[in-house]
């Protein structure tokens, strides 16, 4: 089986919004996973969750096995090569975007990377809830950038007496992009990547997250940002054209999808692994194990999503007689496929 790719998550936001707090939160809640953190200047980003155990060139090794690199935008691909070389065994790479380049440019760099071990993990925009309205007045372009993100964290909502008003305003600017209110940028790592506990069950049916999965021990009295995770399963195939239409018109608030898709069309009876973040979609064809059940099984993660509507729309994609489907119907989904 091919090794699972490492998601690269980009974190952007104005100074003081909580980007470093988010990085430290992730490092403090690794659940046994290994995280690579890429920053443009060690002096400007205080990655203080773990003390430094040693340094090799521009790479620091953290006590929990995570790594930290310093880089400018032009050297980003070289750092990806370093972080994915044999022996690092990272599960996630987080790039702190400010000071490196415009976030849109960084997204293009990740998508254009020739490194086969990484995949796009999304652009997260961290927004200071207290300063949002003042920042939007001073920098009108700021609010228009929110729809470009795959996920918006509205941080410091505990410092506002009327956080709901700001949340509604940010959601109006963000459009289809999910917006999560947070305190101390505390989000569940499972929102961004598959934690070790999930990876051990790779290839099996996805599971519904329990409360214990979402709970951390060191987040103080504040719960993690609430998000929804639902499982969709069809004991059989989905129609490729109808499924492609769903992918192209996903409902607002849907952040990630992952799992297995079975089309069952003549000539295309492989197991297709689906990975989506925001508007990014990738399908990877794999052979079925001899004893595997041919089925479509997906986990969908988002905020403010309508679970009943999602299940209804995906249910309408079910195809009971895939052998009768014209293979030409595969064309819309094949544009997302890679070998």
């Amino acid at each position: 089986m091919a090794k699972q790719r490492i998601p690269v998550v980009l974190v952007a936001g104005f100074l003081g919004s909580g980007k470093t707090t988010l990085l430290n939160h992730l490092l403090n809640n690794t659940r046994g996973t290994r995280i690579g953190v890429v920053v443009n200047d060690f002096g400007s980003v205080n990655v203080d969750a773990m003390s430094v155990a040693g340094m090799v060139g521009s790479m620091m090794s953290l006590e929990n096995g995570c790594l930290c690199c310093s880089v400018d935008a032009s050297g980003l691909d070289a750092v990806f090569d370093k972080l994915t070389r044999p022996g690092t065994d990272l599960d996630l790479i987080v790039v702190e975007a400010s000071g490196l380049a415009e976030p849109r440019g960084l997204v293009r760099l990740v998508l254009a990377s020739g490194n086969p071990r990484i995949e796009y993990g999304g652009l997260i925009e961290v927004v200071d809830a207290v300063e949002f309205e003042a920042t939007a007045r001073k920098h009108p372009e700021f609010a228009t950038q929110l729809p470009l993100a795959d996920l918006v964290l509205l941080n410091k909502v505990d410092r506002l007496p009327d956080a709901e008003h700001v949340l509604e305003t940010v959601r109006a600017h963000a459009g289809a992009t999910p917006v999560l209110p947070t305190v101390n940028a505390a989000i569940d790592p499972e929102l961004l990547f598959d934690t070790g506990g999930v990876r051990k069950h790779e290839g099996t049916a996805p599971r519904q997250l329990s409360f214990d999965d979402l709970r951390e021990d060191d987040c103080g009295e504040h719960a993690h940002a609430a998000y929804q995770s639902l499982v969709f399963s069809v004991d059989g195939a989905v129609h490729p054209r109808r499924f492609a239409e769903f992918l192209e018109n996903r409902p607002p608030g849907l952040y990630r999808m992952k799992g297995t898709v079975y089309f069952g069309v003549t000539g295309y009876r492989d197991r297709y692994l689906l990975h989506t973040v925001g508007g990014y979609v990738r399908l990877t064809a794999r052979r079925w194990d001899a004893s595997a059940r041919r089925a479509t099984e997906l986990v969908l993660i988002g905020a403010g999503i309508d679970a009943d509507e999602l299940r209804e729309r995906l249910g309408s994609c079910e195809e009971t007689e895939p052998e009768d489907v014209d293979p030409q119907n595969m064309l819309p989904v094949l544009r997302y496929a890679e070998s």
Side-chain angles (χ1 to χ4, degrees):
M1 179 183 294
K3 293 192 68 175
Q4 186 166 337
R5 294 189 183 194
I6 304 168
V8 176
V9 174
L10 305 174
V11 178
F14 274 70
L15 182 67
S17 60
K19 298 186 301 297
T20 302
T21 303
L22 174 61
L23 295 180
N24 285 317
H25 171 72
L26 293 174
L27 288 170
N28 265 322
N29 295 278
T30 60
R31 299 182 185 175
T33 59
R34 291 167 59 86
I35 300 175
V37 176
V38 181
V39 298
N40 62 319
D41 181 0
F42 289 132
S44 66
V45 176
N46 181 24
V47 182
D48 56 10
M50 304 292 173
S51 61
V52 177
M55 182 184 294
V56 180
S58 63
M59 181 180 292
M60 298 194 301
S61 175
L62 305 177
E63 281 189 348
N64 65 340
C66 297
L67 298 171
C68 190
C69 278
S70 176
V71 67
D72 58 25
S74 64
L76 194 57
D77 215 30
V79 166
F80 290 154
D81 291 340
K82 182 185 293 187
L83 290 175
T84 58
R85 67 191 180 190
T88 55
D89 296 326
L90 295 180
D91 298 286
L92 176 71
I93 297 173
V94 182
V95 179
E96 191 274 320
S98 66
L100 284 169
E102 287 297 320
R104 191 183 322 202
L106 283 175
V107 171
R108 285 196 290 264
L109 284 174
V110 175
L111 293 178
S113 173
N115 190 314
R117 289 283 292 115
I118 66 170
E119 66 183 8
Y120 180 61
L123 168 63
I124 299 176
E125 183 78 27
V126 185
V127 176
D128 187 331
V130 178
E131 299 295 330
F132 171 74
E133 293 183 339
T135 301
R137 285 194 300 268
K138 187 176 181 180
H139 303 280
E141 73 282 2
F142 169 57
T144 63
Q145 292 176 356
L146 296 181
L148 301 177
D150 298 299
L151 177 67
V152 173
L153 300 186
L154 184 62
N155 197 31
K156 307 181 186 180
V157 293
D158 57 320
R159 302 184 189 180
L160 282 177
D162 186 16
E164 191 64 31
H165 167 71
V166 176
L167 178 59
E168 291 176 1
T169 302
V170 172
R171 281 179 170 157
H173 285 295
T177 301
V179 179
L180 293 180
T182 62
V183 174
N184 296 324
I187 64 172
D188 194 285
E190 177 68 20
L191 181 61
L192 306 182
F193 71 109
D194 295 340
T195 60
V198 175
R199 284 198 173 196
K200 288 188 293 186
H201 300 91
E202 184 182 359
T204 63
R207 62 190 178 89
Q208 183 75 31
L209 297 178
S210 68
F211 176 78
D212 287 336
D213 290 324
L214 304 180
R215 185 177 58 195
E216 298 293 343
D217 295 328
D218 60 352
C219 294
E221 62 185 29
H222 301 294
H224 279 142
Y227 69 91
Q228 296 153 277
S229 173
L230 65 91
V231 173
F232 174 79
S233 179
V234 169
D235 191 13
V238 294
H239 192 284
R241 187 172 294 277
R242 293 198 295 269
F243 189 71
E245 290 173 355
F246 172 80
L247 291 176
E248 292 164 6
N249 297 283
R250 278 165 284 169
L254 185 57
Y255 174 57
R256 291 179 65 203
M257 288 194 294
K258 56 185 179 178
T260 297
V261 183
Y262 177 55
F263 299 112
V265 176
T266 301
Y268 301 95
R269 290 177 175 152
D270 286 338
R271 171 187 180 219
Y272 285 86
L273 305 181
L274 176 69
H275 166 76
T276 79
V277 177
Y280 173 74
V281 182
R282 193 189 75 243
L283 279 170
T284 306
R286 293 285 184 266
R287 296 289 185 186
W288 289 96
D289 294 335
S291 59
R293 178 174 60 97
R294 272 52 171 175
T296 295
E297 298 173 317
L298 299 172
V299 173
L300 301 95
I301 300 172
I305 55 178
D306 186 327
D308 291 337
E309 179 191 1
L310 268 175
R311 289 194 175 96
E312 181 179 351
R313 289 185 58 186
L314 283 168
S316 69
C317 297
E318 185 175 359
E319 176 55 56
T320 58
E321 299 178 338
E323 64 278 0
D324 294 335
V325 174
D326 188 335
Q328 290 293 314
N329 285 285
M330 285 293 297
L331 294 178
V333 294
L334 288 179
R335 68 191 185 97
Y336 300 118
E338 64 176 21
S339 58

